[in-house]
Amino acid sequence: MIQSDLDLFGPSPQRLAAQTVLLPGFVLPQVETLLDDLRPILRAAPFRHMRTPGGQAMAVALTNCGSLGWVSDQQGYRYSTHDPLTQQPWPALPESFLQVARNAAETAGFDDFTPDACLINHYLADTKLSLHQDHDENDFAHPIVSISLGLPAVFLFGGMQRKDPTQRIALNHGDVLVWGGEDRLRFHGVMPVKPGTHPRMGARRINLTLRRAG
Ligand code: SIN
Ligand code: FE2
């Protein structure tokens, strides 16, 4: 096969743990649609630096869409139906986000995923996200679908304890990472993003994390 190593159909899914699957380039065909649907969300609910319960501004800027949005302030981490900046409900989850999340989840072995929350994270050069667990959701039976856009990042994927060793996973523009089931509560984070300019996204990384929170 002359063309066997040209990867004409893109790299195939990679299983990184029992119920964790990396889907390289999975959303590349939908990137323009996702960006078209993202623009009005960002106009209605701009990126902002929320404060940790301890009072520190977070390095990652964030916003949300969906019936629930993840927020942080002096009272703690939680989901809220309204944007604290505008007092308005979060913008609706676009059909394109829902479809992509559902398809990615299914490809990774999780049927009937219907997210109600999409956290949208914005990273500039040197922005990192410390190791944490996603545990503010009601029911851990649902997976997490994480879509990477823009500058590449190194994702740290650990175990159930903060001190457990971490694997380093390269996340590139268009990649989707899905984790759930027995991996749902693994610690994870993002190494400082290396400075650069992505041809489509500029000097930033945007991550969409779709979850079922309520
Ligand atoms: C998150 O854990 O909330 C986001 C992960 C990422 O940006 O890849
Ligand atoms: Fe997370």
Side-chain angles (χ1 to χ4, degrees), residues 119 121 129 132-134 144 155 179 186 188-189 209 211:
L119 171 64
N121 284 329
L129 182 65
H132 65 277
Q133 285 173 303
D134 289 6
I144 292 173
F155 189 76
W179 69 99
R186 280 180 186 263
H188 58 279
T209 305
R211 308 189 182 104

Side-chain angles (χ1 to χ4, degrees), residues 52-63:
T52 65
Q56 275 210 316
M58 295 178 62
V60 174
L62 65 84
T63 187

Side-chain angles (χ1 to χ4, degrees), residues 47 124 164 214:
F47 285 119
L124 292 171
D164 288 345

Side-chain angles (χ1 to χ4, degrees), residues 87-170:
Q87 322 291 336
Q88 297 297 308
W90 294 107
L93 201 53
E95 191 58 32
S96 62
F97 288 25
L98 274 171
Q99 277 309 325
V100 153
R102 180 178 289 269
N103 291 342
E106 196 172 302
T107 306
F110 300 96
D111 289 343
D112 300 321
F113 177 51
T114 306
D116 57 9
C118 177
L119 171 64
I120 308 168
N121 284 329
H122 184 272
Y123 300 75
L124 292 171
D126 303 322
T127 307
K128 68 163 192 169
L129 182 65
S130 305
L131 275 186
H132 65 277
Q133 285 173 303
D134 289 6
H135 58 192
D136 301 321
E137 299 74 31
N138 277 337
D139 182 353
F140 303 139
H142 306 285
I144 292 173
V145 173
S146 164
I147 301 172
S148 290
L149 299 170
L151 289 178
V154 176
F155 189 76
L156 295 173
F157 196 56
M160 299 302 162
Q161 309 290 326
R162 186 179 295 278
K163 61 171 169 35
D164 288 345
T166 53
Q167 21 175 344
R168 292 170 175 225
I169 303 166

Side-chain angles (χ1 to χ4, degrees), residues 58-73:
M58 295 178 62
V60 174
L62 65 84
T63 187
N64 292 279
C65 62
S67 53
L68 291 169
W70 186 87
V71 298
S72 173
D73 60 19

